[in-house]
Amino acid sequence: MTTALALTRPQKAAAILVAMGKPSASRLLKFFKQEELRALVDAARMLRTIPQSELERIVAEFEAEFTEGAGLLDSADTMERMLNESLSPEEMNALMGVETEQEADAPPPIWPDVEKLESARLGAFLAGEHPQTAAVVLSKLAPQAAANVLLTLEKSSRGEIIKRMMTMANVPDSAVRIVEDQIRARLLVENAVKDMSAGQARVANVLNELEKDKLEEMMRDLEASGASDLDGIRARLFAFEDILLLTQKARVTLFDGISTELVTLALRGAEPAMTESVLSSIGARSRRMIEAELATDIGNISSDDISRARKSIASAAIRLAGEGAFELPSTQKQDAAA
């Protein structure tokens, strides 16, 4: 689980952009420089799950940036001097939320993350441990999580572990830390390495907001920098121009749920091949309506409106692919290469 204190400034910015959602974030991304976009992408790839409370802290910190320096600074300095004269250093640290060196060096608690592991996986791990170790671990979990793990163990092991849980006194902190270190090294680190899908999806969501040429440039930069797991990101990338690479069946599925108004707007200024590819995937009546609209003067329609329409269709394709309606072209290429 990620905390606001552990995040870098680019990671906090990436978290805020993701929380804002595509419509708002896409309007901001165009104002970033290329190197800033790279920093955001790198930061997003390293993010893990952020609890709502931590996200609120990040947003509050972001808001505070705009008001820093305002207010009664002299009064604040006076108050700090008064507190320093009245309280001990330990009391001041507690009041101001400052961690002592010992607290700062202590690793974060692992048990909330342990409870998120698959019961069968944690059970397999405990099956190879001493029953006393298993009893210590299960005693640290929520009752429901502990019960689910017990059900994955053999009956003989269950009885021995439960018996030790019943008779177990307070476990010394030093012994608990040894168990925590084992779990952290053998389970949680391995799980964090394997669970890259969330980070890949997060990066893909950011990249999908870019224009096709910028998206490809960014992927080339990532590849040149030696970034790993790019195939997982590529499998989630899709731009409006990639509609040409979809199968006819996939295109029919995609445009079946998209309004003629949105399709008409997206096809403004499109290449003839793209226009025909899209129109051949919709009904004859809708095709005639769209062709009639495209034949009229474009009027005051802005390029930003067209771009947003195309991104909306691309997002629909990504969503349908995620639901299993069809495969994206990038996924098909990976399967062929394998």
Side-chain angles (χ1 to χ4, degrees), residues 37 102-103 149 262 299:
L37 285 171
Q102 182 177 3
E103 291 172 338
V149 174
L262 188 63

Side-chain angles (χ1 to χ4, degrees), residues 13-34:
I16 290 175
L17 285 170
V18 172
M20 288 172 64
K22 289 186 178 181
S24 299
S26 61
R27 289 195 293 271
L28 291 177
L29 284 172
K30 66 177 68 176
F31 296 104
F32 285 89
K33 299 177 182 178
Q34 191 72 19

Side-chain angles (χ1 to χ4, degrees), residues 125-126 129-138 164 179 182-183:
F125 170 78
L126 295 180
E129 299 295 318
H130 191 280
Q132 185 67 26
T133 301
V136 171
V137 171
L138 293 182
R164 290 172 182 270
V179 175
Q182 286 183 332
I183 293 177

Side-chain angles (χ1 to χ4, degrees), residues 43-299:
R45 294 180 72 249
M46 301 302 295
L47 283 177
R48 294 291 182 264
T49 301
I50 301 177
Q52 182 63 32
S53 59
E54 295 297 328
L55 182 59
E56 291 174 354
R57 289 179 60 184
I58 296 172
V59 173
E61 180 182 337
F62 175 74
E63 293 173 343
E65 293 288 339
F66 291 96
T67 57
E68 185 177 358
L72 302 176
L73 297 181
D74 292 340
S75 298
D77 292 339
T78 301
M79 178 62 72
E80 185 173 351
R81 285 196 299 270
M82 291 173 58
L83 291 174
N84 278 321
E85 293 171 1
S86 305
L87 302 177
S88 67
E90 292 78 11
E91 290 172 326
M92 273 295 293
N93 287 339
L95 178 64
M96 303 301 292
V98 178
E99 293 180 334
T100 63
E101 182 177 351
Q102 182 177 3
E103 291 172 338
D105 292 338
I110 68 168
W111 303 111
D113 291 334
V114 173
E115 290 179 358
K116 294 179 182 178
L117 295 173
E118 294 180 2
S119 300
R121 188 172 175 208
L122 182 55
F125 170 78
L126 295 180
E129 299 295 318
H130 191 280
Q132 185 67 26
T133 301
V136 171
V137 171
L138 293 182
S139 68
K140 294 291 184 180
L141 304 183
Q144 183 64 58
N148 291 338
V149 174
L150 277 172
L151 291 175
T152 69
L153 299 172
E154 295 183 359
K155 289 184 178 181
S156 57
S157 298
R158 292 181 207 167
E160 188 65 27
I161 293 170
I162 292 174
K163 182 174 67 176
R164 290 172 182 270
M165 291 177 69
M166 291 172 60
T167 60
M168 186 171 55
N170 289 333
V171 181
D173 291 341
S174 57
V176 174
R177 282 197 294 272
I178 292 174
V179 175
E180 289 179 340
D181 289 342
Q182 286 183 332
I183 293 177
R184 187 178 287 110
R186 295 171 56 186
L187 276 180
L188 297 185
V189 172
E190 179 186 355
N191 190 63
V193 171
K194 288 183 177 180
D195 186 17
M196 297 296 291
S197 59
Q200 292 168 353
R202 197 176 294 114
V203 172
N205 286 339
V206 173
L207 294 180
N208 278 321
E209 292 299 325
L210 303 176
E211 299 297 333
K212 179 71 171 178
D213 57 339
K214 293 294 184 182
L215 186 155
E216 293 176 346
E217 179 183 353
M218 186 69 69
M219 288 301 295
R220 288 194 297 269
D221 291 343
L222 288 173
E223 189 170 1
S225 68
S228 59
D229 303 306
L230 292 184
D231 286 344
I233 296 175
R234 288 193 183 95
R236 294 171 169 82
L237 296 179
F238 187 85
F240 181 75
E241 291 79 3
D242 294 329
I243 288 174
L244 287 169
L245 304 177
L246 290 174
T247 64
Q248 178 67 11
K249 182 179 179 181
R251 285 197 295 268
V252 170
T253 301
L254 171 60
F255 288 101
D256 182 55
I258 298 177
S259 68
T260 57
E261 291 81 3
L262 188 63
V263 175
T264 302
L265 183 55
L267 290 179
R268 293 286 186 184
E271 295 292 330
M274 172 62 71
T275 301
E276 178 56 32
S277 177
V278 172
L279 294 180
S280 66
S281 306
I282 62 180
R285 182 172 179 275
S286 296
R287 173 171 183 150
R288 287 194 299 271
M289 292 174 57
I290 294 173
E291 287 176 331
E293 286 292 325
L294 293 176
T296 61
D297 184 24
I298 193 172

